[in-house]
Amino acid sequence: MTAHDLSGDVGLDLKFSLTQGLTADVTYNPDFAQVEADEQQVNLTRFSLFFPEKRDFFLENQTLFTVGTTGASQGAGDTPVLFYSRRVGINGNRQVPLDAGGRVTGRAGKFSLGLLNIESADDPLGGAEATNFSVIRVKRDVLRRSNIGAIYTGRSKAQAGLGRNDLVGVDGAFSFFTDFTIATYWARSQTDGREGRDQSYRGQLDYTGDRYGLQVERLVVDPNFNPEVGFVRRPDMRKSFVQARFSPRPKAIPSVRKFSAIVSANDIENSTGRRETRTLYSELAVEYQNSDRLSVAYTNAYEFLPRPCT
């Protein structure tokens, strides 16, 4: 006798317009099995790797949730990502089943809105409990090419299982003229059992003129800053960075399009004042009219190793 298992499961994805500028997405029992696997990365540092989001449900209007930057790319550097969608439905490299969720994204006048609420299911094999994830993101256009915003993220059960985790933050990205930008944010997390020293902030000034360039950055991540719906590559740090550039275009040398001289210094300490990283860099380069480029560079690097390499 042959037994036939006729059991099954049902999933639902629904998209509809709330207004001319706002779109709602609703999902029930979503299936992300068709999403391509992550590209393999080799980690030669003591810091976590950042993997990009590949699920369509989270990719649409993804840049709306970026905080404290004038661009769309995040995760490549030391700046924390305050909302990292891979925290939802992925535990390490293991997919966690999602029960249901919804989101609203788009524009309403001068405001950009991003609202997200997802319920994940129990995953005994992966050690994950049913959890609610929520995100509220609001941005408003100001001046001609600038914006200010605020974000809230919440997780009903912290990864350590001691309670919930919440984060609030504000940010601004300001563009002046055609080559001068300022990006900044401030955020604070709240996690049961991790009180105090739980803030992060950043200020960056960037001037990208043709003849002169200047970039100055100050980034602070406190030891207990813990955005569990975000991503922190390097916790407990005080980063100071400056880079200057001089790139004249010599009219007296027809074959040369541009000379370039760049100097930069990057210094990172932890909250106790111990220097962990220092990099001094300089470069001289010649760019020719045929797009050939000749350069010579010098780097002086220091890295503190908390444990011996074995």
Side-chain angles (χ1 to χ4, degrees), residues 97-239:
L98 300 181
D99 284 338
R103 68 174 193 159
V104 175
T105 57
R107 294 185 61 87
K110 293 186 177 182
F111 290 89
S112 298
L113 302 177
L115 311 175
L116 175 73
N117 191 273
I118 298 286
E119 291 281 346
S120 70
D122 286 316
D123 182 28
L125 293 179
E129 299 182 9
T131 305
N132 174 267
F133 298 86
S134 54
V135 182
I136 301 173
R137 173 65 167 150
V138 180
K139 289 200 301 185
R140 189 187 192 281
D141 296 335
V142 296
L143 304 177
R144 301 178 68 179
R145 294 183 297 116
S146 305
N147 62 77
I148 57 175
I151 189 170
Y152 163 81
T153 67
R155 178 173 175 147
S156 63
K157 293 185 179 180
Q159 291 180 336
L162 300 177
R164 61 176 295 115
N165 174 268
D166 299 278
L167 174 139
V168 293
V170 293
D171 70 308
F174 306 94
S175 297
F176 304 98
F177 309 105
T178 59
D179 43 27
F180 182 68
T181 59
I182 296 174
T184 183
Y185 81 86
W186 170 89
R188 183 176 184 178
S189 65
Q190 182 174 353
T191 309
D192 292 343
R194 302 181 67 168
E195 305 296 335
R197 305 172 74 187
D198 52 9
Q199 302 181 54
S200 176
Y201 58 86
R202 176 186 186 234
Q204 182 185 38
L205 178 151
D206 200 358
Y207 175 71
T208 57
D210 181 69
R211 188 176 180 87
Y212 301 99
L214 178 66
Q215 185 179 102
V216 179
E217 179 187 12
R218 176 65 172 175
L219 171 64
V220 172
V221 181
D222 283 342
N224 287 331
F225 182 67
N226 180 40
E228 294 198 359
V229 194
F231 176 84
V232 178
R233 175 180 178 269
R234 186 166 188 162
D236 188 14
M237 62 175 291
R238 307 286 189 270
K239 175 181 178 180

Side-chain angles (χ1 to χ4, degrees), residues 209-274:
D210 181 69
R211 188 176 180 87
Y212 301 99
L214 178 66
Q215 185 179 102
V216 179
E217 179 187 12
R218 176 65 172 175
L219 171 64
V220 172
V221 181
D222 283 342
N224 287 331
F225 182 67
N226 180 40
E228 294 198 359
V229 194
F231 176 84
V232 178
R233 175 180 178 269
R234 186 166 188 162
D236 188 14
M237 62 175 291
R238 307 286 189 270
K239 175 181 178 180
S240 300
F241 174 81
V242 60
Q243 177 178 281
R245 173 180 53 82
F246 176 56
S247 50
R249 297 179 180 270
K251 296 181 179 179
I253 309 177
S255 62
V256 174
R257 179 182 301 168
K258 181 171 61 175
F259 291 109
S260 181
I262 299 174
V263 294
S264 67
N266 184 42
D267 188 81
I268 298 177
E269 299 179 345
N270 62 21
S271 57
T272 66
R274 177 187 290 276

Side-chain angles (χ1 to χ4, degrees), residues 240-243 262-268 275 277-283 297-303:
S240 300
F241 174 81
V242 60
Q243 177 178 281
I262 299 174
V263 294
S264 67
N266 184 42
D267 188 81
I268 298 177
R275 173 175 286 132
T277 299
R278 182 191 62 198
T279 305
L280 304 176
Y281 176 82
S282 59
E283 179 187 271
Y298 168 79
T299 302
N300 185 309
Y302 166 82
E303 188 73 27

Side-chain angles (χ1 to χ4, degrees), residues 65-112:
F65 293 94
T66 61
V67 176
T69 178
T70 55
S73 61
Q74 293 197 32
D78 295 320
T79 304
V81 179
L82 301 189
F83 171 57
Y84 181 41
S85 57
R86 285 177 60 101
R87 297 295 186 213
V88 183
I90 299 179
N91 183 21
N93 293 323
R94 179 180 174 80
Q95 292 277 354
V96 176
L98 300 181
D99 284 338
R103 68 174 193 159
V104 175
T105 57
R107 294 185 61 87
K110 293 186 177 182
F111 290 89
S112 298

